Amino acid sequence: MTIPLSDAVFKVPRGYDDPWQRQQDQMHSVLQQLAPLTPDGGRHVLWRCPLCHQPWVEKNRSSVQEHLSPEQLAAHAFHVGIEDLERLPAWLCPTCSSREVGGRFRVERDITSQGYSRFVWHAATSEEVQIFHVMMFEAHVLAQAWGRGDLSGVHRASMHSPTDLLLSRAYTHLLLHMLMRLPQPETHAMRPLDVTALALEARRMWLPPNELHLRGYFWHPASSVEPEEGREDDLLLALVSASPPFAEHDPLALVAIWQHRFERLARLL
């Protein structure tokens, strides 16, 4: 008599308790390609733009390639292990994204179910980078932090959560419409991010700290939201702007700019 391994009984591969392994399996299932991780925390993914319908490749967080020749397309398809080029996943190519929203978008979500999403926008014509964080906490946790007058701790806790591409289009639309409905924050409700959080963001985004000037603000909207069925959380929103030192932004103007981008992105996706 032989006793089967527990993995065989439950048909769960070894290492599946690792969130990265589960995320990789989801990537393969949704994208129908390997989508290998890159050293800077991005992925090598072959996409097709839903606007111009042309294939393009995302090599990592900061490097892309468009206008692929048949030979280049075949080489990238082989590298990512994709077989059916007619069923490439859809995402805006840099050209269409730059034309429609002024830069390249990347949307991520944490892989440990901590309620953390991030929208990253890179300007098309400069080195400017802006990041919009959406953090969802249990109401009492955020209320305690708000009562202490210090939200930087819960913000840093979320930023330590590993993120990856947000693949659910339905959840992307849910976030976008939720953010578009948020009221404009009062000036006194916008608080600066501490230097520790900004330094962490610079390392995470591989930003050149000597060339870009980082500023950050966060605020806590008064109303609660229900981002997922059966779960009621409060929001903590944060915005980080990294730009050349001569560029200055009013935080309320940045919020208005982002909400306009959300409206455009919701219509395009």
Side-chain angles (χ1 to χ4, degrees):
M1 183 180 69
T2 60
I3 301 176
L5 294 174
S6 60
D7 283 0
V9 174
F10 297 103
K11 297 182 180 180
V12 176
R14 293 184 184 275
Y16 205 69
D17 56 343
D18 179 3
W20 278 113
Q21 179 62 49
R22 294 197 302 271
Q23 181 73 1
Q24 185 63 34
D25 289 348
Q26 182 188 21
M27 286 282 172
H28 187 270
S29 175
V30 174
L31 299 179
Q32 294 298 301
Q33 56 186 291
L34 298 176
L37 285 166
T38 58
D40 67 350
R43 286 187 180 272
H44 192 134
V45 182
L46 195 57
W47 303 98
R48 187 178 300 279
C49 179
L51 297 186
C52 68
H53 308 293
Q54 295 300 311
W56 62 282
V57 64
E58 178 180 350
K59 295 182 177 180
N60 50 46
R61 281 182 183 267
S62 58
S63 177
V64 301
Q65 186 176 356
E66 299 181 89
H67 312 296
L68 302 174
S69 68
E71 294 77 15
Q72 291 172 327
L73 180 59
H76 285 296
F78 177 80
H79 179 73
V80 300
I82 194 166
E83 298 178 357
D84 188 357
L85 291 175
E86 297 301 320
R87 300 181 60 185
L88 292 176
W91 192 252
L92 293 172
C93 71
T95 296
C96 291
S97 182
S98 297
R99 182 182 66 247
E100 299 294 337
V101 292
R104 179 181 162 210
F105 252 110
R106 180 182 173 91
V107 185
E108 303 174 349
R109 188 183 183 187
D110 76 275
I111 65 171
T112 57
S113 301
Q114 297 299 314
Y116 175 43
S117 303
R118 56 206 308 265
F119 294 78
V120 184
W121 176 87
H122 290 260
T125 58
S126 70
E127 295 299 323
E128 185 175 5
V129 180
Q130 292 179 4
I131 302 104
F132 194 104
H133 298 287
V134 184
M135 292 155 283
M136 301 172 190
F137 297 94
E138 293 182 9
H140 72 279
V141 173
L142 200 51
Q144 291 175 356
W146 186 260
R148 294 193 301 268
D150 181 14
L151 298 177
S152 58
V154 289
H155 182 208
R156 286 196 300 270
S158 289
M159 290 175 63
H160 279 292
S161 180
T163 60
D164 206 340
L165 291 174
L166 175 53
L167 296 178
S168 169
R169 183 165 295 187
Y171 191 78
T172 302
H173 277 279
L174 180 69
L175 282 174
L176 288 171
H177 288 287
M178 179 187 68
L179 294 170
M180 286 188 295
R181 293 195 305 268
L182 288 174
Q184 283 288 97
E186 301 291 338
T187 305
H188 60 80
M190 299 288 290
R191 301 183 181 179
L193 284 171
D194 66 349
V195 293
T196 305
L198 291 175
L200 178 62
E201 190 64 61
R203 292 195 301 271
R204 186 170 188 165
M205 290 300 299
W206 296 67
L207 297 176
N210 296 329
E211 300 177 12
L212 297 179
H213 177 56
L214 272 69
R215 295 170 310 283
Y217 311 91
F218 63 84
W219 72 97
H220 170 40
S223 59
S224 297
V225 296
E226 295 186 29
E228 296 180 9
E229 184 177 355
R231 175 179 173 182
E232 183 173 345
D233 292 328
D234 274 359
L235 284 181
L236 176 63
L237 305 177
L239 189 146
V240 177
S241 179
S243 58
F246 57 81
E248 294 295 334
H249 290 294
D250 172 22
L252 297 183
L254 284 175
V255 174
I257 290 171
W258 270 100
Q259 290 191 319
H260 175 71
R261 289 177 185 155
F262 293 147
E263 293 173 1
R264 295 286 297 168
L265 195 60
R267 288 197 296 266
L268 295 171
L269 295 181

